[in-house]
Amino acid sequence: MGIKNVAAIISGMDEEYPYQIMLGINKFAREHDINVSYFAAFGGIIDSEEFNDGEYSIYNLPDFSCFDGALLMTNTFANTHIRNKIIDRVKKSGIPAVIFECRDHKEFHDISINNYNVMKKLVEHLIKVHGARVFNFISGPEDNPEAKERYRAFLDTLSENGIEFDEKKRLFNGLFRSYDGIKAIDAFAKSGLELPDAFVSANDSMALTAVTRLQQMGYKIPEDVIVTGFDHTFYAQNSCPALTTVKRPLEFSGTVACKTLFELIKGVDLPRSISLEAEPVFSESCGCHDEQLENIAEFKKNMYERMGRTYTNAHMLNRLIAGLAGAENINDCIISIEKMLKALRINDFSLCLVHDWEDSYNVGQEGEEDGYHQLITAPYVLENGKRTSVSIFPSKQLFPIPFTTGGNISYFLPLHFNQRCLGYYIIKNNDFPIYNLHCHTMTMSIGNAIDSISKINVLDPLCKIYNRKGFERNAGFMFKENENSGNELTICFIDMDGLKSINDNYGHKEGDFAIKGISDVISSSCGAMDICGRWGGDEFVVLGIGKGFAENFSEKYTAGLMKLNEKSGKPYKIDASLGFVKCTPSDRDQLLDLIEEADVKMYEIKKEKKALRK
C-alpha cells in the first residue's frame, strides 16, 4: 500500500487534552508512513465574530476528497455551525473518518472515553466520602457531547443520592477554556449564594483557574470548599493543592483512532464504535492523599524543562514581534520570521498567502463561505533548512512543494486580520504548535504584520483612506458585483478649492492639514458600504451605494465641512467642489469612464463657484 494522507481537524492546540491525543496520532503515523495534516484554529479566544471568522477560514482550505481519510476532533469546537459544516463536508467527500466523542453520525467510526461512568464515580466519592451536599457545576459548551455527558452524570448522581441542584443559580456554562474558571467564580461571587461544598468542573483548565480565583478571594482548598477537574493534566497533577480529577487514556485514544483509520483505509471491516474506560484520581483538592505526588525530583525536572522552554520561546517571540512591527515589506517580515525559526530549530516552514494579498484590502473574499481562495503564493518556503519560494500554486494542492515521502506531520494555521483572510502557514515535522503556548501569539503577529504591509500598498499614508490603487481595486470589485443588478450607484468626484493659496500663504504643513481635514469629512459622510479614496493630490473620489446617496452624502458633507472650519480656527477656509454621476452599471460600463464624467461635472461646478466669487 502506498503513502496515505490524512486530514485532522481540531479547534485549539494549546490545551493538554488535544495535545495528548495528538501525541498518540503522531506516533502511530510516523511508524506507519502516514502523512497527517492538522488544520487548526483558535476561535473563541476573544468575543469577536470577525476575528473568529478569520480564524475559521482555515477549515475552508482542505478538499477532503483529496485525502485518504480524516480524524475529527470536532468535540473541541464550541462553534456548532463550523463543526457541522466540517462534518457535512467530510461526509460529502465519502472518505473514511474517525470522530472523537460523538456517536451521532453513522457514516463515521468513533472513539469515545466513557465520560459518564467516571464522572459518576467522582461525584459519588465527594458525596459519600466527603459528605458534600451543595454543589456548583462549571460546564463546557452546552452542545458539546463530552460536556453534556459529564453534566448528565453529575445530575444523575445527585438525583440518586437525593440531592437537589439549582440549575439556574449554580450552573456556569463555559467553553472548556482556562479563563472560564475565573468567570465562573466571579459569577458565583456576584450571586450572593452561600459557598457550596464543592465546585465540580468539566475539565482541569477551568478547575485550576477556579482554584486560583477562590484562593485570591481568601478561601482554602479543600478546607473551605472542594474543587475537582477532569483530564489529569500535568498542571492538575502538580498544582497546589493537587487537583482531584479524572485520568483518561488520551494518548492511547489518539493511537487507537489513527490505527482504526489506517485499517479502514485498507478496507478492513471494523466495529463502528470503540469505548475506552477512564478512572478518577482522588487528590488534595478534595482532601485525599495521592501517592503519586511523592516523586518531587521528577516534578522539579519537568517544571525546570517547561520553564526553560517558556522563557526561551517568550524571548524569541518578543524579538519576532519587534521585528514585525517595523516591517515595511514582505521581505522584512520574512527576515524576522526566519530568525525565530532558526532559534526554534524549525527546518520546514511555508508562508502561504492568497495570491492578491498585496492588492486587496477590505474587499469581499471570493469563495470563503464554501471554499478557499483558488490561488496561493508562497514567498517564503523553508524546505529541509533551505530557503526557496513558489510564485503561484492552487490552494487545493495545500503545500507549495508536495510531499514525496510518508510519516510527515504538518500543522496548518490561519493568517488573517479580523475577518480578512490573508492565507496560512505550515510548520512541518516539528511539534512547536502543540506544545508551545506562544504559537497563537506568533500566528497573530505574523497576520497583523502582513495586513499592515498590504495597507501600505493601498492606503494613503496622510489621509488613511484608499489611495488610487486601493480605490480602483475595491470600487472595481463593488462595481462588478453590481453589474446588471439594477442597483443604483453614484460616483462623486471631489476637488479642493484654494489649496494652492493655502500652500503659498501658510506653508505645505497647513496644506496637508487641509487635505487631511477634507478627507476626514468625506470619509465620515460615507456609509459602511460606500468606498472613498484619494485620487491624487487634492482630488478625491467616492463610490456610493443605493438610491439617495448623492443627497445624503451632500447633506453630511456640508455639515461636516462647516464643523471642520468652525473648530479648526484657521485663517483660511477649507472647501471643495463636488460632481456626481448616477448609474445602474452594466457590463458595457467602465468605472474609469464614469469617474472622468464625474470629474467633468465637478469642473463645471468649480467654474460656477469661481464666477460667483467674481
Side-chain angles (χ1 to χ4, degrees), residues 507-576:
H508 285 275
K509 185 176 180 180
E510 289 297 316
D512 286 347
F513 174 84
I515 292 171
K516 179 68 168 64
I518 201 114
S519 168
D520 291 343
V521 171
I522 292 168
S523 178
S524 62
S525 301
C526 292
M529 295 299 293
D530 305 325
I531 299 168
C532 63
R534 185 181 180 186
W535 198 243
D538 58 352
E539 296 176 334
F540 300 86
V541 64
V542 178
L543 175 68
I545 313 296
K547 290 184 178 180
F549 168 80
E551 294 77 12
N552 292 333
F553 179 85
S554 295
E555 183 179 342
K556 292 179 181 177
Y557 167 81
T558 301
L561 200 59
M562 185 180 298
K563 190 174 181 180
L564 171 65
N565 282 304
E566 287 175 355
K567 284 192 168 186
S568 70
K570 300 294 183 181
Y572 52 83
K573 183 181 179 182
I574 301 174
D575 200 0

Coordinates of all heavy atoms in Angstrom, one line a residue, residues 507-576:
G507 N 2.1 77.6 4.0 CA 3.0 76.5 4.0 C 2.4 75.2 3.8 O 1.2 75.0 3.9
H508 N 3.2 74.2 3.3 CA 2.7 72.9 2.9 C 2.2 72.1 4.1 O 1.3 71.2 4.0 CB 3.7 72.1 2.2 CG 4.0 72.6 0.8 ND1 3.2 72.2 -0.3 CD2 4.8 73.5 0.3 CE1 3.6 72.8 -1.4 NE2 4.6 73.7 -1.1
K509 N 2.6 72.4 5.3 CA 2.1 71.7 6.5 C 0.7 72.0 6.7 O -0.2 71.2 7.0 CB 2.9 72.1 7.7 CG 2.5 71.3 9.0 CD 3.4 71.7 10.2 CE 3.0 70.9 11.4 NZ 3.9 71.3 12.6
E510 N 0.3 73.3 6.5 CA -1.1 73.7 6.6 C -1.9 73.1 5.4 O -3.1 72.7 5.6 CB -1.2 75.2 6.6 CG -0.8 75.9 7.8 CD -1.6 75.4 9.1 OE1 -2.8 75.4 9.0 OE2 -1.0 75.1 10.1
G511 N -1.2 73.0 4.3 CA -1.9 72.3 3.1 C -2.2 70.9 3.4 O -3.3 70.4 3.1
D512 N -1.3 70.2 4.1 CA -1.6 68.8 4.5 C -2.7 68.7 5.5 O -3.5 67.8 5.4 CB -0.3 68.2 5.1 CG 0.8 67.9 4.0 OD1 0.4 67.9 2.8 OD2 1.9 67.6 4.4
F513 N -2.7 69.7 6.4 CA -3.8 69.7 7.4 C -5.2 69.9 6.6 O -6.2 69.2 7.0 CB -3.7 70.9 8.3 CG -4.8 71.1 9.3 CD1 -4.9 70.4 10.4 CD2 -5.8 72.0 9.0 CE1 -6.0 70.5 11.3 CE2 -6.9 72.2 9.8 CZ -7.0 71.4 11.0
A514 N -5.2 70.7 5.6 CA -6.5 70.9 4.9 C -6.9 69.7 4.1 O -8.1 69.3 4.1 CB -6.3 72.1 3.9
I515 N -5.9 69.0 3.5 CA -6.2 67.8 2.8 C -6.7 66.7 3.7 O -7.7 66.0 3.4 CB -4.9 67.3 2.0 CG1 -4.5 68.2 0.9 CG2 -5.1 65.9 1.5 CD1 -3.2 67.9 0.3
K516 N -6.0 66.6 4.9 CA -6.5 65.5 5.8 C -7.9 65.9 6.4 O -8.7 65.0 6.6 CB -5.4 65.5 7.0 CG -5.8 64.5 8.1 CD -5.7 63.1 7.6 CE -5.8 62.0 8.7 NZ -7.0 62.0 9.4
G517 N -8.1 67.2 6.6 CA -9.4 67.6 7.1 C -10.5 67.3 6.2 O -11.6 66.7 6.6
I518 N -10.4 67.6 4.9 CA -11.4 67.3 3.9 C -11.6 65.8 3.7 O -12.7 65.3 3.5 CB -11.2 68.0 2.6 CG1 -12.5 68.2 1.8 CG2 -10.2 67.3 1.7 CD1 -12.9 69.6 1.6
S519 N -10.5 65.1 3.8 CA -10.5 63.6 3.7 C -11.4 63.0 4.8 O -12.2 62.1 4.6 CB -9.1 63.0 3.7 OG -9.2 61.6 3.9
D520 N -11.2 63.5 6.1 CA -12.0 63.0 7.2 C -13.4 63.3 7.0 O -14.3 62.5 7.4 CB -11.5 63.7 8.5 CG -10.1 63.2 8.9 OD1 -9.6 62.1 8.3 OD2 -9.4 63.8 9.7
V521 N -13.8 64.5 6.5 CA -15.2 64.9 6.3 C -15.8 63.9 5.2 O -16.9 63.4 5.4 CB -15.3 66.3 5.8 CG1 -16.7 66.7 5.3 CG2 -14.9 67.3 6.9
I522 N -15.0 63.7 4.1 CA -15.5 62.8 3.1 C -15.8 61.4 3.7 O -16.8 60.8 3.4 CB -14.5 62.7 1.9 CG1 -14.5 64.1 1.2 CG2 -14.9 61.6 0.9 CD1 -13.4 64.2 0.2
S523 N -14.8 60.9 4.4 CA -14.9 59.5 5.0 C -16.1 59.4 5.9 O -16.8 58.4 5.9 CB -13.6 59.2 5.7 OG -13.7 57.9 6.3
S524 N -16.3 60.4 6.8 CA -17.4 60.3 7.8 C -18.7 60.5 7.1 O -19.7 60.2 7.7 CB -17.1 61.4 8.9 OG -17.1 62.7 8.3
S525 N -18.8 61.0 5.9 CA -20.0 61.3 5.2 C -20.4 60.0 4.4 O -21.6 60.0 3.9 CB -19.9 62.4 4.2 OG -19.5 63.6 4.9
C526 N -19.6 59.0 4.3 CA -19.9 57.8 3.6 C -20.5 56.8 4.6 O -20.3 56.8 5.8 CB -18.6 57.2 3.0 SG -17.9 58.2 1.7
G527 N -21.3 55.9 4.0 CA -21.9 54.8 4.7 C -20.9 53.6 4.8 O -19.8 53.6 4.2
A528 N -21.3 52.6 5.5 CA -20.5 51.4 5.7 C -20.1 50.7 4.5 O -19.0 50.1 4.3 CB -21.1 50.4 6.7
M529 N -20.9 50.7 3.4 CA -20.7 50.0 2.2 C -20.1 50.9 1.1 O -19.7 50.4 0.1 CB -22.0 49.4 1.7 CG -22.5 48.3 2.6 SD -21.4 46.9 2.8 CE -21.3 46.3 1.1
D530 N -20.1 52.2 1.3 CA -19.5 53.2 0.4 C -18.0 53.1 0.4 O -17.4 52.7 1.4 CB -20.0 54.6 0.7 CG -21.5 54.7 0.7 OD1 -22.2 53.9 -0.1 OD2 -22.0 55.5 1.5
I531 N -17.4 53.5 -0.7 CA -15.9 53.4 -0.9 C -15.4 54.8 -1.3 O -15.9 55.4 -2.2 CB -15.5 52.4 -1.9 CG1 -16.0 51.0 -1.5 CG2 -14.0 52.4 -2.1 CD1 -15.9 49.9 -2.6
C532 N -14.4 55.3 -0.5 CA -13.8 56.6 -0.8 C -12.3 56.4 -0.9 O -11.7 55.6 -0.3 CB -14.2 57.6 0.2 SG -13.6 57.4 1.9
G533 N -11.7 57.3 -1.7 CA -10.2 57.3 -1.8 C -9.7 58.6 -2.3 O -10.4 59.5 -2.8
R534 N -8.4 58.8 -2.1 CA -7.6 60.0 -2.6 C -7.1 59.6 -4.0 O -6.3 58.8 -4.1 CB -6.5 60.3 -1.6 CG -5.8 61.6 -2.0 CD -4.6 61.9 -1.0 NE -3.9 63.1 -1.3 CZ -2.8 63.5 -0.7 NH1 -2.3 62.8 0.3 NH2 -2.3 64.7 -1.1
W535 N -7.7 60.3 -4.9 CA -7.4 60.1 -6.3 C -6.0 60.6 -6.7 O -5.3 60.1 -7.6 CB -8.4 60.7 -7.2 CG -8.5 60.2 -8.6 CD1 -8.3 60.9 -9.8 CD2 -8.8 58.8 -9.0 NE1 -8.5 60.1 -10.9 CE2 -8.8 58.8 -10.4 CE3 -9.2 57.7 -8.3 CZ2 -9.1 57.7 -11.2 CZ3 -9.4 56.5 -9.1 CH2 -9.4 56.5 -10.5
G536 N -5.5 61.6 -6.0 CA -4.2 62.2 -6.2 C -4.2 63.6 -5.9 O -5.2 64.4 -6.2
G537 N -3.2 64.1 -5.2 CA -3.1 65.5 -4.8 C -4.2 65.9 -4.0 O -4.4 65.4 -2.8
D538 N -5.0 66.9 -4.5 CA -6.2 67.3 -3.7 C -7.5 66.9 -4.3 O -8.5 67.5 -4.2 CB -6.2 68.9 -3.7 CG -6.2 69.5 -5.1 OD1 -6.1 68.8 -6.1 OD2 -6.4 70.8 -5.2
E539 N -7.4 65.7 -5.0 CA -8.6 65.1 -5.6 C -9.1 63.9 -4.9 O -8.2 63.0 -4.5 CB -8.4 64.8 -7.1 CG -8.1 66.0 -8.0 CD -7.7 65.7 -9.4 OE1 -7.3 64.5 -9.6 OE2 -8.0 66.5 -10.3
F540 N -10.4 63.7 -4.7 CA -10.9 62.6 -4.1 C -12.1 62.0 -4.9 O -12.7 62.7 -5.7 CB -11.4 62.9 -2.7 CG -10.4 63.5 -1.8 CD1 -10.1 64.9 -1.8 CD2 -9.7 62.7 -0.9 CE1 -9.1 65.4 -0.9 CE2 -8.7 63.2 0.0 CZ -8.4 64.6 -0.1
V541 N -12.3 60.7 -4.7 CA -13.4 60.1 -5.4 C -14.2 59.1 -4.5 O -13.6 58.5 -3.6 CB -12.9 59.3 -6.7 CG1 -12.0 58.2 -6.3 CG2 -14.0 58.9 -7.5
V542 N -15.5 59.0 -4.7 CA -16.3 58.2 -3.8 C -17.3 57.4 -4.7 O -17.8 57.9 -5.7 CB -17.2 59.1 -2.9 CG1 -18.1 58.2 -2.0 CG2 -16.3 59.9 -2.0
L543 N -17.4 56.1 -4.3 CA -18.4 55.2 -4.9 C -19.5 55.0 -3.9 O -19.3 54.4 -2.9 CB -17.8 53.9 -5.4 CG -18.8 52.9 -5.9 CD1 -19.4 53.4 -7.3 CD2 -18.2 51.5 -6.1
G544 N -20.7 55.5 -4.2 CA -21.8 55.4 -3.2 C -22.8 54.3 -3.6 O -23.1 54.2 -4.8
I545 N -23.4 53.6 -2.7 CA -24.3 52.5 -3.0 C -25.7 52.9 -2.7 O -26.0 53.4 -1.6 CB -23.9 51.3 -2.1 CG1 -22.4 51.0 -2.1 CG2 -24.7 50.1 -2.5 CD1 -21.9 50.6 -3.4
G546 N -26.6 52.7 -3.6 CA -28.0 52.8 -3.4 C -28.6 54.2 -3.8 O -27.8 55.2 -4.0
K547 N -29.9 54.2 -3.9 CA -30.6 55.5 -4.3 C -30.5 56.5 -3.1 O -30.5 56.1 -2.0 CB -32.1 55.2 -4.6 CG -32.2 54.5 -5.9 CD -33.7 54.3 -6.2 CE -33.9 53.6 -7.6 NZ -35.3 53.4 -7.9
G548 N -30.4 57.8 -3.5 CA -30.4 58.8 -2.5 C -29.0 59.1 -1.9 O -28.9 59.9 -1.0
F549 N -28.0 58.4 -2.4 CA -26.6 58.6 -1.9 C -26.2 60.0 -2.0 O -25.7 60.6 -1.1 CB -25.6 57.7 -2.6 CG -24.2 58.0 -2.3 CD1 -23.6 57.6 -1.0 CD2 -23.5 58.8 -3.1 CE1 -22.3 58.0 -0.7 CE2 -22.2 59.2 -2.8 CZ -21.6 58.8 -1.6
A550 N -26.4 60.6 -3.3 CA -25.9 62.0 -3.5 C -26.4 63.0 -2.5 O -25.7 63.8 -2.0 CB -26.2 62.4 -4.9
E551 N -27.8 62.9 -2.3 CA -28.4 63.8 -1.4 C -27.9 63.6 0.0 O -27.6 64.6 0.7 CB -29.9 63.6 -1.5 CG -30.6 64.0 -2.8 CD -30.3 62.9 -3.9 OE1 -29.9 61.8 -3.6 OE2 -30.6 63.2 -5.1
N552 N -27.9 62.4 0.5 CA -27.4 62.1 1.9 C -26.0 62.5 2.1 O -25.6 63.1 3.1 CB -27.6 60.6 2.2 CG -29.0 60.2 2.3 OD1 -29.9 61.0 2.6 ND2 -29.3 58.9 2.0
F553 N -25.1 62.2 1.1 CA -23.7 62.5 1.2 C -23.5 64.0 1.2 O -22.8 64.5 2.1 CB -23.0 61.9 0.0 CG -21.5 62.2 0.0 CD1 -20.6 61.5 0.7 CD2 -21.0 63.4 -0.7 CE1 -19.2 61.8 0.7 CE2 -19.7 63.7 -0.7 CZ -18.8 62.9 0.0
S554 N -24.2 64.7 0.3 CA -24.1 66.2 0.3 C -24.5 66.8 1.6 O -23.8 67.8 2.1 CB -25.0 66.8 -0.8 OG -24.5 66.3 -2.1
E555 N -25.6 66.3 2.2 CA -26.0 66.9 3.5 C -25.0 66.7 4.6 O -24.7 67.6 5.3 CB -27.4 66.2 3.9 CG -28.0 66.8 5.1 CD -29.3 66.1 5.5 OE1 -29.9 65.5 4.6 OE2 -29.7 66.2 6.6
K556 N -24.5 65.4 4.7 CA -23.5 65.1 5.7 C -22.2 65.9 5.4 O -21.5 66.4 6.4 CB -23.2 63.6 5.8 CG -24.4 62.8 6.3 CD -24.0 61.3 6.3 CE -25.2 60.5 6.8 NZ -24.9 59.0 6.7
Y557 N -21.8 65.9 4.2 CA -20.6 66.6 3.8 C -20.6 68.1 4.1 O -19.7 68.6 4.7 CB -20.3 66.4 2.3 CG -19.2 67.3 1.7 CD1 -17.9 67.0 1.8 CD2 -19.6 68.5 1.1 CE1 -16.9 67.8 1.3 CE2 -18.6 69.3 0.6 CZ -17.3 69.0 0.7 OH -16.3 69.8 0.2
T558 N -21.7 68.8 3.8 CA -21.9 70.2 4.1 C -21.8 70.5 5.6 O -21.1 71.4 6.0 CB -23.2 70.7 3.5 OG1 -23.2 70.5 2.1 CG2 -23.4 72.2 3.8
A559 N -22.5 69.6 6.4 CA -22.5 69.8 7.8 C -21.1 69.6 8.4 O -20.6 70.3 9.3 CB -23.5 68.9 8.5
G560 N -20.4 68.5 7.9 CA -19.1 68.2 8.4 C -18.1 69.2 8.0 O -17.2 69.6 8.8
L561 N -18.2 69.8 6.8 CA -17.2 70.8 6.4 C -17.4 72.1 7.2 O -16.4 72.8 7.6 CB -17.5 71.2 4.9 CG -16.3 71.9 4.2 CD1 -15.1 71.0 4.2 CD2 -16.7 72.1 2.7
M562 N -18.7 72.5 7.5 CA -18.9 73.6 8.4 C -18.3 73.4 9.8 O -17.7 74.4 10.3 CB -20.4 73.8 8.5 CG -20.9 75.1 9.2 SD -22.7 75.3 9.3 CE -23.0 75.4 7.5
K563 N -18.5 72.2 10.3 CA -18.0 71.9 11.6 C -16.5 72.0 11.6 O -15.8 72.5 12.6 CB -18.5 70.6 12.1 CG -18.2 70.2 13.5 CD -18.8 68.9 13.9 CE -18.6 68.5 15.3 NZ -19.2 67.2 15.7
L564 N -15.8 71.5 10.6 CA -14.4 71.5 10.5 C -13.9 72.9 10.5 O -12.9 73.2 11.2 CB -13.9 70.8 9.2 CG -12.5 70.9 8.8 CD1 -11.6 70.2 9.8 CD2 -12.2 70.3 7.4
N565 N -14.5 73.8 9.7 CA -14.0 75.2 9.6 C -14.2 75.9 10.9 O -13.4 76.8 11.3 CB -14.7 75.9 8.4 CG -14.0 75.5 7.1 OD1 -12.8 75.7 6.9 ND2 -14.9 75.0 6.2
E566 N -15.3 75.6 11.6 CA -15.6 76.3 12.9 C -14.6 75.9 13.9 O -14.1 76.7 14.7 CB -17.0 75.9 13.3 CG -18.1 76.6 12.5 CD -19.5 76.1 13.0 OE1 -19.6 75.2 13.8 OE2 -20.5 76.6 12.4
K567 N -14.2 74.6 14.0 CA -13.4 74.1 15.0 C -11.9 74.3 14.8 O -11.1 74.4 15.7 CB -13.6 72.6 15.2 CG -14.9 72.3 16.0 CD -14.9 70.8 16.4 CE -16.0 70.5 17.4 NZ -15.9 69.2 17.9
S568 N -11.5 74.4 13.5 CA -10.1 74.5 13.2 C -9.4 75.8 13.6 O -8.2 75.8 14.0 CB -9.9 74.3 11.7 OG -10.3 75.4 11.0
G569 N -10.2 76.9 13.6 CA -9.6 78.1 14.0 C -8.5 78.6 13.0 O -7.7 79.5 13.3
K570 N -8.5 78.1 11.8 CA -7.5 78.5 10.8 C -7.9 79.8 10.1 O -9.1 80.2 10.0 CB -7.4 77.4 9.7 CG -6.9 76.1 10.3 CD -5.5 76.1 10.9 CE -5.1 74.8 11.4 NZ -3.7 74.8 11.9
P571 N -6.9 80.6 9.6 CA -7.2 81.9 8.9 C -7.7 81.7 7.5 O -7.9 82.6 6.8 CB -5.9 82.6 9.0 CG -4.9 81.5 9.0 CD -5.5 80.4 9.8
Y572 N -7.9 80.4 7.1 CA -8.3 80.1 5.7 C -9.5 79.2 5.8 O -9.8 78.5 6.8 CB -7.2 79.5 4.9 CG -6.6 78.3 5.6 CD1 -7.1 77.0 5.5 CD2 -5.4 78.4 6.3 CE1 -6.6 75.9 6.2 CE2 -4.8 77.4 6.9 CZ -5.4 76.1 6.8 OH -4.8 75.0 7.5
K573 N -10.3 79.1 4.7 CA -11.5 78.3 4.7 C -11.1 77.0 3.9 O -10.6 77.1 2.8 CB -12.6 79.0 4.1 CG -13.9 78.2 4.0 CD -15.0 79.0 3.4 CE -16.3 78.2 3.3 NZ -17.4 79.0 2.6
I574 N -11.5 75.9 4.4 CA -11.4 74.6 3.7 C -12.7 74.3 2.9 O -13.7 74.3 3.5 CB -11.0 73.5 4.6 CG1 -9.8 73.8 5.4 CG2 -10.9 72.2 3.9 CD1 -9.5 72.8 6.5
D575 N -12.5 74.1 1.6 CA -13.7 73.9 0.8 C -13.3 73.0 -0.4 O -12.1 72.8 -0.7 CB -14.3 75.2 0.3 CG -15.8 75.1 -0.1 OD1 -16.3 74.0 0.0 OD2 -16.4 76.1 -0.5
A576 N -14.3 72.5 -1.1 CA -14.1 71.7 -2.3 C -15.3 71.7 -3.2 O -16.4 72.1 -2.7 CB -13.8 70.3 -1.9

